[in-house]
Amino acid sequence: MLETFSTFHPVLQALIAGLFTWSCTIVGSAFVFLFKEINQKFLDIMNGFAAGVMIAASFWSLLAPAITNAEESGYGVWSFFPAAVGFLVGGFFLRLIDVVIPHLHLNEPEENKEGPQTKASKNLLLFLAITIHNIPEGLSVGVAFGAIAAGVANGDAFLSAVGLALGIGIQNIPEGSALSMPIRAAGTSRWRAFNIGQLSAIVEPIAAVIGAIAVISISAILPYALAFAAGAMIFVVVEELIPESQTNGNKDSATLALMGGFTIMMILDVALG
């Protein structure tokens, strides 16, 4: 199956990988049909785990290949430049989205909503927060597969991209439940809570295709694009996932989960890549 998948065009690979990560969110959101509420400790552990996965993916799957590609492209001692610039721009891009799109992070009171003033419902604001979170995940998957056609055309690059998609998919399962369960607990029907949860990740296959097409069309931006995705992911980790996992009395468990997620993603990337 993996061998057949490797023969597909990188844009199609990115689309399928994005659909896979979205499907993992669907699975997580479906927990709302099985449980009445989500255990806060479990949620904090899963947020910590997701943070670890994204930190590891940012380095091994994105920043390290960005630097390597820059070296191979003739940047010489300046091979750090595309990675540094792309990383910072990725963070500032997420900050800009934070400013222009109203949203509310999980576990935050409604008065702490961010972005422009709005009368949107709390459910919509929670949905927008998770959707913002999912954009860099989709981009990172697309850029990783697009890199194969943009010059990193070897088996290692393909397997590394597969490992990245697997890692993001794994952490999307608890993320889906982390959105659908609180919405259900607030009185929304199970079907509506499920749909809000799973639709928050519909941007991932879209962003994946955009990322793949971008680096294939303009191969010179590859190291910048890889680092951009890494910067956006780290912004989400530091601004959202880590604070959310550390504010409910489960610091040690969440921190150990972060280390576990980091280790699993590192193993996936090194073993597959």
Side-chain angles (χ1 to χ4, degrees):
M1 183 176 180
L2 191 61
E3 184 176 347
T4 301
F5 181 53
S6 68
T7 64
F8 296 165
H9 189 278
V11 174
L12 180 57
Q13 291 174 344
L15 174 60
I16 294 172
L19 290 172
F20 165 74
T21 60
W22 179 23
S23 70
C24 290
T25 303
I26 294 174
V27 170
S29 299
F31 285 3
V32 76
F33 296 111
L34 304 176
F35 308 103
K36 290 184 177 180
E37 59 182 24
I38 189 169
N39 181 274
Q40 187 60 53
K41 184 174 183 179
F42 173 77
L43 181 57
D44 291 340
I45 288 173
M46 290 300 97
N47 276 332
F49 177 84
V53 167
M54 292 175 71
I55 292 170
S58 294
F59 177 74
W60 271 282
S61 297
L62 299 169
L63 283 174
I67 294 171
T68 299
N69 182 265
E71 290 173 346
E72 295 173 350
S73 299
Y75 279 84
V77 296
W78 289 90
S79 58
F80 65 86
F81 183 78
V85 171
F87 185 80
L88 292 174
V89 172
F92 281 114
F93 173 74
L94 260 290
R95 174 55 184 155
L96 177 62
I97 290 182
D98 266 359
V99 171
V100 301
I101 298 180
H103 60 283
L104 176 68
H105 295 297
L106 294 172
N107 300 322
E108 290 283 346
E110 196 163 353
E111 58 266 24
N112 287 354
K113 61 187 177 185
E114 300 180 21
Q117 290 298 313
T118 178
K119 294 182 180 179
S121 68
K122 183 177 180 180
N123 286 349
L124 177 58
L125 294 173
L126 290 170
F127 170 82
L128 290 172
I130 300 297
T131 301
I132 291 171
H133 173 155
N134 286 328
I135 292 173
E137 293 180 7
L139 283 174
S140 66
V141 170
V143 169
F145 280 103
I148 301 168
V152 191
N154 55 62
D156 288 350
F158 169 72
L159 292 174
S160 179
V162 170
L164 175 62
L166 283 174
I168 289 176
I170 290 170
Q171 66 93 27
N172 272 2
I173 295 175
E175 185 177 272
S177 63
L179 178 57
S180 64
M181 296 293 285
I183 291 175
R184 167 59 181 161
T188 304
S189 70
R190 282 189 171 88
W191 270 109
R192 182 169 175 79
F194 165 74
N195 282 323
I196 292 174
Q198 62 92 8
L199 284 173
S200 68
I202 196 172
V203 295
E204 292 200 1
I206 298 171
V209 169
I210 292 173
I213 291 175
V215 298
I216 291 172
S217 302
I218 314 173
S219 59
I221 71 169
L222 175 58
Y224 295 94
L226 287 164
F228 176 93
M233 288 175 69
I234 291 297
F235 184 93
V236 168
V237 168
V238 177
E239 191 226 17
E240 182 177 341
L241 294 180
I242 291 178
E244 287 176 3
S245 72
Q246 298 286 315
T247 56
N248 301 291
N250 300 304
K251 291 183 178 181
D252 289 345
S253 298
T255 300
L256 289 173
L258 185 152
M259 296 178 69
F262 184 96
T263 302
I264 290 173
M265 187 64 226
M266 176 179 65
I267 291 171
L268 276 175
D269 197 274
V270 174
L272 292 179

